[in-house]
């Protein structure tokens, strides 16, 4: 099975839309959008990609806004299965990559258990793309040999948190925090408590890949204060590589 395989009636394709700009979607992702009879779309999916859809395609908004409009995952699963069983070509369009904190596997399992054919078109993950768009490499030869991507959806002391912040603080890797806007102060405090240098460079990239992308930088001990006005979506990068925030060709030539 190739990723550019034509969509089949009665099947579901889970498409990662990449971060923000529709130009960052994959060729296979665009092809799926163009062929879809029904698109179930998240609020972080690239809006420009919907221009590729057929005029006859049904577009269903299944947004999960932080502290706002919310479509339960169970309802999304139900819609995928219902439309597929009705013989439609169904595309589930998300931002970033649906398998990186995107609940894509839950949708794959639901379709599989219902006997609905389903396949995946990966997307460019915001965990690496958004830092890159801000001029930040998550790794760099001679400086850092790895990166850790974590969810900041719950604070470090929350019963549902499974992260070892002591290990993260001592890991020597770049830390990339997704969904961490609301809990950034608690996250940085925990890293400091566990011994990370207070002057470690940090950057918050808001609305990466959009025309209004914003990049804020500060040492670890002050980044939560500096970025207090930022609203989701945003990606936080903590580590020496954050020193290069916004050092892009476009910036340098202006």
């Amino acid at each position: 099975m190739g990723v550019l395989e034509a969509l089949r009636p009665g099947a579901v394709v889970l498409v990662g839309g990449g971060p923000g700009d529709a130009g960052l979607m994959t060729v296979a992702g665009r092809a799926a959008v163009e062929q879809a009879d029904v698109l179930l779309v998240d609020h972080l999916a690239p809006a420009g990609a919907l221009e590729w859809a057929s005029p006859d395609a049904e577009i269903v908004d299944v947004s999960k806004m932080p502290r706002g409009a919310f479509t339960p995952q169970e309802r999304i699963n139900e819609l995928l299965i219902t439309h597929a069983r009705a013989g439609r070509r169904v595309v589930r369009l998300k931002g970033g990559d649906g398998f990186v904190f995107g609940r894509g596997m839950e949708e794959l399992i639901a379709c599989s258990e219902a006997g609905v054919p389903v396949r995946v078109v990966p997307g460019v993950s915001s965990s690496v793309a958004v830092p890159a768009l801000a001029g930040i490499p998550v790794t760099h030869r001679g400086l850092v040999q790895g990166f850790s991507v974590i969810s900041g959806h719950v604070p470090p002391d929350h019963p549902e948190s499974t992260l070892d912040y002591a290990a993260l603080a001592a890991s020597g890797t770049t830390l990339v925090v997704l969904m961490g806007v609301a809990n950034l102060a608690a996250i940085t405090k925990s890293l400091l408590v566990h011994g990370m240098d207070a002057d470690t460079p940090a950057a918050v990239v808001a609305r990466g890949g959009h025309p209004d992308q914003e990049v804020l930088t500060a040492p670890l001990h002050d980044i939560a204060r500096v970025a207090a006005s930022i609203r989701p979506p945003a990606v936080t990068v903590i580590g020496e590589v954050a020193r290069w925030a916004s050092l892009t060709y476009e910036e340098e030539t202006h």
Side-chain angles (χ1 to χ4, degrees):
M1 180 191 303
V3 292
L4 283 173
E5 176 186 350
L7 271 64
R8 291 184 290 158
V12 171
V13 182
L14 308 176
V15 177
D21 193 310
L24 296 173
M25 276 188 67
T26 64
V27 173
R30 175 168 182 162
V33 169
E34 291 173 338
Q35 298 173 60
D37 296 315
V38 180
L39 293 110
L40 275 65
V41 182
D42 275 357
H43 77 286
L44 291 180
L50 299 181
E51 297 176 4
W52 305 330
S54 165
D56 298 325
E58 179 181 354
I59 298 174
V60 183
D61 183 353
V62 289
S63 295
K64 294 182 178 181
M65 301 289 288
R67 292 167 292 281
F70 185 82
T71 305
Q73 185 62 51
E74 293 75 16
R75 176 56 178 161
I76 295 172
N77 296 347
E78 178 184 317
L79 287 168
L80 291 171
I81 294 165
T82 298
H83 283 295
R85 284 177 170 169
R88 301 184 180 102
R89 296 172 294 182
V90 184
V91 166
R92 173 75 169 106
L93 181 60
K94 300 169 176 280
D97 181 277
F99 278 23
V100 181
F101 304 136
R103 303 185 73 170
M105 192 62 194
E106 295 178 41
E107 294 166 356
L108 189 152
I109 291 170
C111 290
S112 180
E113 290 181 345
V116 171
V118 57
R119 63 186 173 94
V120 177
V121 175
V124 178
S125 173
S126 61
S127 61
V128 293
V130 168
L133 290 167
I136 304 172
V138 292
T139 63
H140 186 70
R141 185 166 60 92
L143 184 64
V144 61
Q145 298 177 354
F147 63 99
S148 302
V149 182
I150 68 171
S151 168
H153 184 63
V154 295
D157 60 353
H158 194 281
E160 294 180 5
S161 176
T162 63
L163 296 172
D164 184 338
Y165 277 86
L168 290 169
S171 68
T173 65
T174 301
L175 300 185
V176 180
V177 185
L178 306 185
M179 302 181 293
V181 171
N183 294 313
L184 186 55
I187 290 168
T188 56
K189 179 180 178 181
S190 184
L191 292 171
L192 291 168
V193 166
H194 289 295
M196 184 172 278
D197 190 332
D199 290 325
T200 301
V204 174
V205 186
R207 293 189 58 75
H210 294 268
D212 58 345
Q213 174 176 303
E214 182 178 4
V215 184
L216 298 175
T217 61
L220 177 64
H221 70 86
D222 204 30
I223 190 64
R225 181 192 65 82
V226 169
S229 63
I230 292 295
R231 296 291 176 265
V235 174
T236 300
V237 182
I238 300 169
E240 290 299 321
V241 293
R243 293 187 188 278
W244 289 310
S246 294
L247 183 63
T248 62
Y249 177 80
E250 183 178 14
E251 291 286 343
E252 291 179 300
T253 55
H254 284 177

